Amino acid sequence: MNINKSLGPLPLDKKEALRYLGYRGQAMDETSLDLLDQASDDLIKAARPKYIWQAFRLDGERESALPFLEGSDIRKNLKGSSYCAIFAATLGLEVDRLIARYEYISMTRALFLDACASSYIESVCNLCNEEIRATFAGEGLFVRPRFSPGYGDLPISLQGRI
């Protein structure tokens, strides 16, 4: 099973972006609110959200089924599982270019764009996760929480191979 989806514009959760910026309910000045709105609009225009996922049937020997999943934490997470769904998500190269451009013009703007991008990619990952959940719910199975490279002892260097 291999699913590849390009998505249209999605809503951006500005509260989540503020959380990435470190805001914890304190009042924001008008300038910061305007900057958040501008960064959100610019990011949505630049983004080309996509995801791809594939499910792998696991047998009793997980190492032979998915040899690149290194570490004991992922093995514990997959214990008793029948499948492992692996996905990748992106907002597209233009988002990275936009943030990099603003790093030379305004670091504050770049910081707001990065926070908006973090919020936006999380929404894309949530959509993918829901699709995986719905696919397997039809088979009477449930989906465990996401486990990404960089969690526990699963090396972040696996991102490239995935």
Side-chain angles (χ1 to χ4, degrees):
M1 181 176 316
N2 186 349
I3 308 293
N4 188 351
K5 281 203 177 168
S6 292
L7 307 169
L10 304 169
L12 190 145
D13 185 344
K14 291 180 185 176
K15 286 183 181 179
E16 183 74 0
L18 287 172
R19 187 181 70 77
Y20 283 109
L21 285 167
Y23 283 88
R24 302 283 187 259
Q26 65 266 44
M28 286 188 67
D29 60 79
E30 197 65 35
T31 302
S32 295
L33 288 171
D34 287 344
L35 192 53
L36 179 63
D37 288 340
Q38 290 169 7
S40 174
D41 291 345
D42 289 348
L43 186 101
I44 290 169
K45 287 176 191 166
R48 301 293 177 267
K50 296 178 186 176
Y51 64 77
I52 185 170
W53 68 273
Q54 184 168 353
F56 298 89
R57 181 121 178 95
L58 298 177
D59 56 18
E61 299 179 36
R62 283 168 188 41
E63 289 81 13
S64 65
L66 297 169
F68 62 89
L69 293 180
E70 305 164 13
S72 61
D73 293 335
I74 189 64
R75 286 185 183 79
K76 287 178 201 168
N77 192 353
L78 290 173
K79 188 174 182 174
S81 297
S82 303
Y83 292 90
C84 177
I86 296 179
F87 76 89
T90 184
L91 297 179
L93 190 55
E94 192 55 38
V95 168
D96 292 329
R97 289 181 179 144
L98 179 67
I99 293 169
R101 184 168 48 245
Y102 274 100
E103 287 174 350
Y104 291 100
I105 299 168
S106 167
M107 274 307 288
T108 303
R109 180 83 175 256
L111 184 65
F112 273 73
L113 283 164
D114 188 69
C116 287
S118 295
S119 174
Y120 210 54
I121 194 64
E122 192 62 29
S123 295
V124 174
C125 291
N126 287 341
L127 282 174
C128 182
N129 209 57
E130 281 307 311
E131 182 173 306
I132 294 167
R133 185 179 317 282
T135 299
F136 287 100
E139 297 182 32
L141 301 172
F142 69 94
V143 175
R144 298 184 50 78
R146 291 195 309 250
F147 197 97
S148 297
Y151 290 11
D153 66 354
L154 187 63
I156 196 143
S157 60
L158 287 178
Q159 284 181 328
R161 283 193 269 171
I162 291 173

